[in-house]
Amino acid sequence: MRARLSSPLATVRNIGVLAHVDAGKTTVTERMLYLAGATHKRGEVHYGTTVTDFDQQERDRGITIFAAAVSCDWDGHRVNVIDTPGHVDFSDEVERSLRVLDGAIAVFDGVAGVEPQSESVWRRADRHGVPRIAFVNKLDRAGADLDAAVESIRRRLHPAPLVVQLPIGREDGFTGVVDLVGMRALVWDGGACQAGPVPDDLLAEARVRRRLLEEAVAELHAGALEEFCAQPSLSEATLSAALRDLTGTGDGVVVLCGSAYRDRGVEPLLDAVVRYLPSPLDVPAVRGQDGAARPADPAAPLAALAFKVNATATGRLTYVRIYSGTLRKGDTVLDAGTGRAERVGRILRVQADRHSEAEQAVAGDIVALVGPKTARAGTTLCAPEAPLLLEPPVATEPVVSVAVEVRRSTDGDRLAAALARLAEEDPSLAVRNDAETGQTVLSGMGELHLEVAAEKLRRDHRLEVNVGRPQVAYRETVVRGVSGLLYRHVKQDGGAGQFAHVVIDVGPLEEGGFAFASTVTGGRVPREYVRAVEAGCRDALAAGPLGGHPVTGVRVTLTDGATHTKDSSDLAFRTAGRLALREALRSCELRLLEPVVEVTVTVPDDMAGGVLGDLTARRGRISSSRARAGAVVITAVVPLAEVFGYATRLRSRTQGRGTFTTRPAGYAPAR
């Protein structure tokens, strides 16, 4: 059933496991590895024995922090799996992983259904066009309800859920599932999966649900509709083919269920990965930024994207997805972004923190490389004779900052090197030196993100550091602009001078960001100088007049200008653009923006009043409050600065029974 073999492209599956924190992603991954024979012992999160959560911090905290790549063989197919983090602070790890995946398993808690981070990673997968199947986990828990979870998928994620299984038993009595596609029962007794006929007491319900599944598929798939109208029911082959097509297009999502911790439902999940998720041949050819396409063909020119870098004490590992071509040990490849040639010293097959050497890797493979010295997450490695630059993953802008300093002054250089290595591994971390205070400032996605980074400094780099209180990243935005601001930049200091004359209008930009336009006619400002003015305006956005915070939500229009035959230059117009916008911003009406997060709090119903009052005191805006199985789920939008330390406060208010999660909700006017 599960013989190991070298897989052609049609038998390769590159998938990720996505979900909210604590929905059971890592347990699902560990059971897949165990049942496929890739490991010989079940990894347990609570015992710290998992393959994918190999970092000591992951084991101490009981959560996934770093995306880990593993692989196994199932039913003649090679399945490469990336177990991704579920905590919102590490969502950039998910973003980088999604960029190189062909499919994904979305795991949902059978009690909670769609949770905030589940929705966030689902939207990210939508943006990347990654086909998904859904696995409703933890059906053995009290309060678990497959139908309620499916309804939350329909309501909050908006795909058509195509439920292909019916649970046998509820909560503690959950023992198996009815496969509605093949109309058979799968029961787990002592860990082994036994297939048999559908139990008599479930046969009528199974037939009804099979009919509902057929109707839902026929509504979405033309081929299935044709057979549905001509035949009493859809055949298993037609239904399976239609489900695969709908998964690939994203018009439907196949929903399975089980309990990974109890070893129930994982084998059908692996079967569904093979049956419904695409191979590298089934996804569109990768395209470069110039529009050129590269097919998933080992004989084509090489194109690979680096999505993760692990800078260890013994060297750098660059994790890449190979989209086309063949990469051999010793090859010289081109860094398409920098034009630098890199030599590949070794190619490693990855099993989390364990590696085995390979002589070559082909299109469809996910491997680690030893040798490239300057590659970063998002770097394209390609054949020197056939350059191709792929779109890199988008890094999220950090929103929380802390000051980091060493306790011994002699460790200053070591701290700088260690922080550079952290930023190299994780592009969502940013390091800068504060010119006013002289402090080293580390910025990241949240409190936990920065805690993990600080702990890595202590453990991995053996540095004694002090970390300041988190500070949020404020922004400034234009509420009311100015028109016709004239700025003349004239400088004479011997030799060639500088001359630039610009007139600009500045106004608000509702959608945020920065927009620049020019309405100058008659060649009064040449095109190359217009670009220089735009560059200067972008320079000016780094620090606004309210408090030196970055400026967003600005529209600048260059309306007039003048040049000098000798003294005008790119530098002069860039300087004029920068100083003109700075002066204009001082005349505009500006507003301070602060980052806000959506907080979802789950508390016992008798403690909801105190929690609501506390959220209001933290300047939170309550958006919803709903009852669920003896608890109340409260959703509020709260300034990020008010969330620091909230975990301790919530525990004390609820005697340790309350939980909460957050996700970024953008910026809002500071109150």
Side-chain angles (χ1 to χ4, degrees):
M1 166 171 81
R2 323 298 179 209
R4 298 182 68 85
L5 43 85
S6 59
S7 304
L9 279 179
T11 58
V12 173
R13 300 290 183 271
N14 290 316
I15 67 167
V17 184
L18 317 171
H20 186 88
V21 65
D22 203 33
K25 297 180 309 304
T26 299
T27 301
V28 168
T29 306
E30 294 292 327
R31 295 302 187 268
M32 290 168 66
L33 294 176
Y34 175 75
L35 291 167
T39 59
H40 302 292
K41 184 179 180 181
R42 296 176 179 85
E44 303 291 357
V45 173
H46 51 282
Y47 291 142
T49 58
T50 57
V51 172
T52 53
D53 287 354
F54 56 85
D55 187 272
Q56 191 57 48
Q57 286 204 69
E58 294 179 305
R59 294 183 170 182
D60 291 346
R61 298 175 187 271
I63 61 171
T64 300
I65 296 173
F66 310 107
V70 292
S71 59
C72 62
D73 292 313
W74 184 260
D75 199 20
H77 290 70
R78 182 72 171 174
V79 182
N80 299 317
V81 185
I82 297 180
D83 181 26
T84 64
H87 196 284
V88 65
D89 282 14
F90 309 105
S91 56
D92 255 34
E93 285 274 321
V94 183
E95 181 76 21
R96 292 191 293 275
S97 299
L98 282 169
R99 178 64 179 79
V100 299
L101 295 175
D102 298 327
I105 301 170
V107 181
F108 300 97
D109 188 309
V111 177
V114 176
E115 297 174 274
Q117 187 63 2
S118 307
E119 188 172 353
S120 177
V121 297
W122 188 276
R123 301 298 177 215
R124 288 175 181 267
D126 280 342
R127 289 199 300 272
H128 288 279
V130 176
R132 280 141 284 167
I133 59 176
F135 181 70
V136 179
N137 193 25
K138 302 187 179 183
L139 281 193
D140 59 318
R141 290 181 55 198
D145 188 333
L146 175 62
D147 291 338
V150 170
E151 182 55 32
S152 70
I153 293 173
R154 188 194 313 276
R155 186 179 66 254
R156 298 188 62 176
L157 306 182
H158 308 297
L162 305 171
V163 185
V164 298
Q165 292 178 342
L166 168 67
I168 299 175
R170 291 179 60 87
E171 300 178 351
D172 286 345
F174 172 69
T175 58
V177 298
V178 174
D179 172 14
L180 299 176
V181 177
M183 286 304 286
R184 57 178 184 155
L186 301 174
V187 179
W188 284 265
D189 184 11
C193 178
Q194 303 292 333
V198 179
D200 292 339
D201 58 333
L202 289 176
L203 187 57
E205 184 179 359
R207 286 173 175 163
V208 170
R209 291 188 178 239
R210 164 68 186 238
R211 189 63 177 176
L212 292 173
L213 174 62
E214 292 175 357
E215 291 173 356
V217 169
E219 285 182 7
L220 300 169
H221 191 277
L225 176 61
E226 185 177 343
E227 183 174 317
F228 184 77
C229 295
Q231 303 292 336
S233 65
L234 294 179
S235 66
E236 181 177 348
T238 299
L239 186 55
S240 292
L243 289 170
R244 180 179 177 84
D245 291 344
L246 294 173
T247 300
T249 61
D251 292 328
V253 57
V254 172
V255 181
L256 302 96
C257 61
S259 169
Y261 180 68
R262 303 288 182 191
D263 299 320
R264 295 166 189 167
V266 180
E267 293 98 326
L269 179 61
L270 278 164
D271 290 336
V273 167
V274 168
R275 184 181 297 173
Y276 303 126
L277 291 179
S279 75
L281 294 175
D282 299 322
V283 297
V286 68
R287 290 189 176 275
Q289 291 187 340
D290 61 356
R294 268 310 148 75
D297 181 357
L302 176 70
L305 182 70
F307 65 95
K308 182 179 175 68
V309 173
N310 189 7
T312 66
T314 56
R316 298 174 81 254
L317 287 180
T318 304
Y319 292 79
V320 300
R321 159 70 189 271
I322 300 179
Y323 285 100
S324 69
T326 299
L327 180 65
R328 296 176 178 85
K329 186 167 69 171
D331 280 356
T332 297
V333 298
L334 177 71
D335 180 335
T338 64
R340 179 189 175 106
E342 297 273 16
R343 183 178 179 275
V344 177
R346 297 162 65 199
I347 300 174
L348 304 176
R349 302 283 179 188
V350 182
Q351 197 75 347
D353 60 337
R354 294 172 292 169
H355 315 98
S356 60
E357 290 211 31
E359 291 299 314
Q360 67 176 33
V362 300
D365 280 342
I366 294 176
V367 294
L369 307 181
V370 179
K373 293 181 172 58
T374 60
R376 300 288 186 269
T379 294
T380 302
L381 300 177
C382 61
E385 68 277 7
L388 182 76
L389 183 61
L390 301 177
E391 185 74 29
V394 178
T396 308
E397 191 175 353
V399 294
V400 182
S401 301
V402 293
V404 181
E405 60 183 23
V406 288
R407 295 179 184 175
R408 295 194 299 264
S409 58
T410 54
D411 287 339
D413 290 342
R414 289 180 58 213
L415 175 64
L419 288 173
R421 180 175 289 179
L422 289 183
E424 181 182 0
E425 291 183 334
D426 185 353
S428 59
L429 286 172
V431 182
R432 63 179 175 85
N433 290 315
D434 191 302
E436 293 184 3
T437 64
Q439 291 179 310
T440 300
V441 178
L442 179 64
S443 302
M445 300 305 299
E447 210 171 357
L448 180 59
H449 191 199
L450 295 176
E451 282 180 19
V452 168
E455 191 62 26
K456 283 180 72 69
L457 292 174
R458 298 184 183 105
R459 287 188 180 183
D460 298 353
H461 301 278
R462 303 193 180 283
L463 285 168
E464 295 183 18
V465 295
N466 293 323
V467 179
R469 186 178 185 276
Q471 301 292 324
V472 302
Y474 290 95
R475 295 286 183 269
E476 300 175 23
T477 190
V478 174
V479 177
R480 188 172 64 247
V482 295
S483 298
L485 186 134
L486 183 152
Y487 189 87
R488 291 171 60 89
H489 175 63
V490 181
K491 186 176 181 181
Q492 290 288 345
D493 52 4
Q498 294 185 31
F499 179 92
H501 171 187
V502 297
V503 180
I504 61 173
D505 293 345
V506 179
L509 186 63
E510 297 267 339
E511 57 269 28
F514 172 70
F516 181 88
S518 171
T519 59
V520 179
T521 58
R524 292 176 61 81
V525 180
R527 183 175 301 175
E528 61 270 23
Y529 293 163
V530 172
R531 289 195 293 267
V533 173
E534 179 180 358
C537 290
R538 290 186 184 277
D539 295 340
L541 298 177
L546 288 182
H549 309 294
V551 182
T552 186
V554 183
R555 185 190 304 277
V556 177
T557 304
L558 178 66
T559 60
D560 201 358
T563 62
H564 188 277
T565 54
K566 292 184 178 180
D567 292 346
S568 289
S569 64
D570 281 355
L571 176 61
F573 272 90
R574 182 164 185 162
T575 303
R578 182 179 73 252
L579 298 178
L581 184 54
R582 282 184 181 175
E583 183 175 319
L585 290 175
R586 286 193 289 269
S587 302
C588 292
E589 181 183 343
L590 296 178
R591 177 180 294 159
L592 189 66
L593 302 177
E594 62 180 342
V596 294
V597 293
E598 183 183 83
V599 179
T600 302
V601 188
T602 304
V603 294
D605 50 13
D606 58 337
M607 299 177 176
V611 171
L612 284 166
D614 186 46
L615 288 172
T616 303
R618 292 173 182 267
R619 298 188 287 137
R621 299 193 305 275
I622 309 300
S623 53
S624 71
S625 176
R626 63 184 187 278
R628 187 182 71 195
V632 176
V633 180
I634 302 166
T635 303
V637 176
V638 185
L640 178 60
E642 301 288 351
V643 178
F644 298 142
Y646 184 61
T648 302
R649 179 69 168 176
L650 181 64
R651 281 196 295 268
S652 66
R653 278 191 169 275
T654 62
Q655 301 172 6
R657 297 164 64 193
T659 61
F660 81 102
T661 60
T662 64
R663 66 168 178 171
Y667 280 81
R671 291 181 288 158

